[in-house]
Amino acid sequence: MEVLVLPTPAEVARRAAEVVVDGLVGAGRPEPVLGLATGSSPLGLYAELANAVAAGRLDLTHARGFALDEYVGLTPGHPQSYREVLLREVCAPLGLPPERLHVPDGSGVDEAALVAGAAAYERLLEGAGGVDVQILGIGANGHLGFNEPGSALSSRTRVKRLSDRTRADNARFFDGTEEVPTHCVTQGLGTVLDARRLLLVASGVAKAEAVAAALEGPLSASCPASVLQWHADAVAVLDEDAARLLRNRHYYDASAAGLAERHTRSSKAW
Ligand code: F6R
């Protein structure tokens, strides 16, 4: 795992965008697949990717985007449904055609319909050849996607109950906690691990404990984001506040400096 600590959230966004561009271009696929997270963490990164598109360094016209998760039970077109958020934050500014955006189906009227929709999403993802770069945020409780603590490390896309903590954290997007759906459909941790590259972005002191547990704690369902440690190409891009509880900071900085030197010499982007 590579851990890159930058002074500010703006620098986190810029560096993370380089990691995404490098991963998508490096995949060399005619229809690369970008895994999309929602929430606050990736917003700066999406803005930087929009700059890369405008500068001609990235073209998502033939790409596909696959969302990590979706709420269950919101009315179609609800502004806080993740489909609508991604249409606003990704499709429009980055030029990803809306019909190439895929989001788990949270509209099923009963459990059987939701389960069938989740299985169909897995098939769609597989048919697209899997995710080249998966963008990830982390919950303050260590969740990844909406895999709450206790989620099976090998889980696939399925219906999950949201924890009270997550509903309270996400109440800022709704008119209070009561309005936040109780359930979601989320890619499983096994699904996330199938992506060829994982990119975690985190900023702010509220994420420091979860980041330390994920990157340096035991690999454990109690901290779902700790599955990053299991992946062969995982990159965490953090600001100083999110990184403040990391014990091995000196090593990460030394490794990152060495990498930057090596990549400059070989004229790679990062
Ligand atoms: C969103 C998602 C979640 C968020 C996490 C952090 O698609 O899957 O895991 O990444 O809840 O949210 P923010 O970035 O709003 O702090």
Side-chain angles (χ1 to χ4, degrees):
M1 181 166 39
E2 219 177 300
V3 181
L4 306 172
V5 183
L6 284 305
T8 64
E11 285 163 273
V12 167
R14 274 197 292 278
R15 190 57 174 272
E18 288 175 16
V19 174
V20 171
V21 172
D22 179 77
L24 288 184
V25 173
R29 296 208 294 151
E31 298 187 26
V33 175
L34 181 58
L36 299 163
T38 46
S40 307
S41 303
L43 292 180
L45 162 58
Y46 292 146
E48 285 296 332
L49 289 176
N51 291 339
V53 170
R57 289 188 288 117
L58 181 66
D59 179 3
L60 296 183
T61 320
H62 302 291
R64 286 187 187 282
F66 278 82
L68 273 173
D69 38 26
E70 178 59 289
Y71 291 114
V72 167
L74 292 181
T75 48
H78 189 292
Q80 293 309 328
S81 73
Y82 285 167
R83 173 173 291 282
E84 290 300 316
V85 169
L86 291 170
L87 286 169
R88 279 196 307 272
E89 304 292 349
V90 173
C91 288
L94 275 69
L96 175 74
E99 67 278 10
R100 302 182 77 84
L101 169 69
H102 307 285
V103 182
D105 185 2
S107 71
V109 289
D110 55 22
E111 195 176 340
L114 290 165
V115 167
Y121 195 67
E122 285 277 336
R123 286 195 298 274
L124 197 62
L125 198 44
E126 199 185 328
V131 172
D132 291 298
V133 181
Q134 176 63 58
I135 295 168
L136 297 161
I138 185 171
N141 65 356
H143 74 213
L144 199 67
F146 275 145
N147 293 280
E148 300 284 22
S151 293
L153 302 179
S154 60
S155 48
R156 310 303 302 186
T157 303
R158 70 215 183 290
V159 183
K160 280 296 280 185
R161 186 180 182 85
L162 294 171
S163 69
D164 292 346
R165 174 75 193 265
T166 298
R167 292 184 68 227
D169 284 348
N170 287 7
R172 67 191 193 281
F173 298 114
F174 293 83
D175 293 331
T177 309
E178 286 309 305
E179 299 296 312
V180 182
T182 54
H183 288 76
C184 65
V185 179
T186 181
Q187 285 189 29
L189 294 171
T191 318
V192 170
L193 283 172
D194 283 347
R196 282 175 272 280
R197 171 176 289 176
L198 301 184
L199 167 63
L200 174 71
V201 282
S203 303
V205 70
K207 298 295 174 71
E209 258 182 53
V211 164
L215 305 190
E216 296 182 338
L219 175 61
S220 161
S222 299
C223 179
S226 64
V227 294
L228 282 161
Q229 298 175 36
W230 192 251
H231 196 278
D233 184 0
V235 185
V237 189
L238 315 168
D239 77 349
E240 288 286 350
D241 283 339
R244 66 196 284 177
L245 298 179
L246 292 176
R247 290 187 309 270
N248 295 327
R249 175 66 190 278
H250 177 73
Y251 177 76
Y252 305 140
D253 289 351
S255 304
L259 259 185
E261 205 180 299
R262 208 178 72 217
H263 283 297
T264 309
R265 279 207 300 270
S266 65
S267 69
K268 272 196 77 173
W270 59 281

